[in-house]
Amino acid sequence: MANDRVYFIPWDQTTGSVLSSRCDVYNNYYKDQTHHKRNWTPVFYDDVHPGGVIANMGSGWGTRLVVAGHGAVNDGNIYATEAGANPLSYTNIVDRLVAHGLKKYYTGTIGCDVCHSAEGANPFAKRLAKELHNRGYKLTCVIGYKGSLYSGYDLAADSTLDGDHKYRHRTVETASGDRVKSKNAQERFYGL
């Protein structure tokens, strides 16, 4: 399904369980209250690979593979917890995506569900895009966010947006303290 989302948690199930609960509780639970009603499939590093979900996902502009983690401005690592536990570098993430069978011709988007992943002179999303490009993923786009990402469709998030909204939205809190729809605080990187 083109509008479905694969939520890649690049740690084992024990280490990444809190990140997985965000996917299940905030995203899948509220999906019927969102505009696109997308289904989120969590995939851990220790799940079946190759031949698993990532190896068999479709390709196209509506396809999204999301990498979960915690991050900081201009940091080349992401973390399993907000306290900075279990760091993984952007090269580790590409290694793990390749191990899971990510196809070289993947033309979908890889989203970084990582706070501040598009902030700084050399942010995480930019590094990830460049590493993917260097390894032959020439058609893949990486999205990062400029601010603190609220990665789930949280009820509180909707009430802070201006105006009335029919649907729940994922939001980002920018450096100015404003909370905006995530699409208004993202940046795309192509690895060039």
Side-chain angles (χ1 to χ4, degrees):
M1 301 176 102
N3 286 329
D4 283 5
R5 300 295 192 244
V6 174
Y7 196 76
F8 183 56
I9 301 150
W11 292 275
D12 62 34
Q13 292 184 33
T14 302
T15 305
S17 63
V18 172
L19 292 168
S20 175
S21 68
R22 285 193 336 201
C23 175
D24 292 335
V25 173
Y26 294 117
N27 294 329
N28 285 331
Y29 182 80
Y30 292 117
K31 76 178 179 181
D32 290 334
Q33 298 172 24
T34 66
H35 182 68
H36 297 290
K37 299 175 180 31
R38 293 181 170 117
N39 182 47
W40 293 76
T41 303
V43 174
F44 291 91
Y45 179 62
D46 58 350
D47 284 347
V48 173
H49 66 281
V53 173
I54 292 174
N56 292 307
M57 63 187 294
S59 187
W61 301 115
T63 305
R64 175 115 7 129
L65 171 61
V66 175
V67 176
H70 296 279
V73 175
N74 216 38
D75 194 341
N77 293 325
I78 60 172
Y79 307 89
T81 67
E82 290 181 59
N86 304 96
L88 291 173
S89 71
Y90 61 96
T91 57
N92 296 139
I93 300 304
V94 174
D95 291 341
R96 291 176 181 215
L97 288 170
V98 169
H100 267 271
L102 182 65
K103 305 270 191 290
K104 293 270 184 177
Y105 59 80
Y106 177 71
T107 58
T109 300
I110 295 179
C112 295
D113 265 24
V114 177
C115 291
H116 311 288
S117 55
E119 291 184 292
N122 197 12
F124 180 80
K126 183 177 182 179
R127 294 178 201 212
L128 183 63
K130 189 167 192 76
E131 184 68 19
L132 283 162
H133 190 269
N134 289 343
R135 294 201 200 182
Y137 293 87
K138 307 293 186 194
L139 304 173
T140 302
C141 167
V142 177
I143 289 179
Y145 295 95
K146 297 178 181 181
S148 296
L149 175 67
Y150 293 83
S151 61
Y153 300 110
D154 189 6
L155 181 61
D158 256 354
S159 66
T160 61
L161 296 173
D162 290 334
D164 294 327
H165 294 275
K166 183 176 179 180
Y167 302 107
R168 290 176 179 255
H169 300 280
R170 291 162 35 102
T171 60
V172 172
E173 186 173 332
T174 63
S176 65
D178 295 327
R179 192 176 279 181
V180 300
K181 290 181 185 179
S182 61
K183 72 176 188 172
N184 296 328
Q186 69 185 16
E187 185 172 347
R188 292 180 182 270
F189 300 95
Y190 295 93
L192 302 173

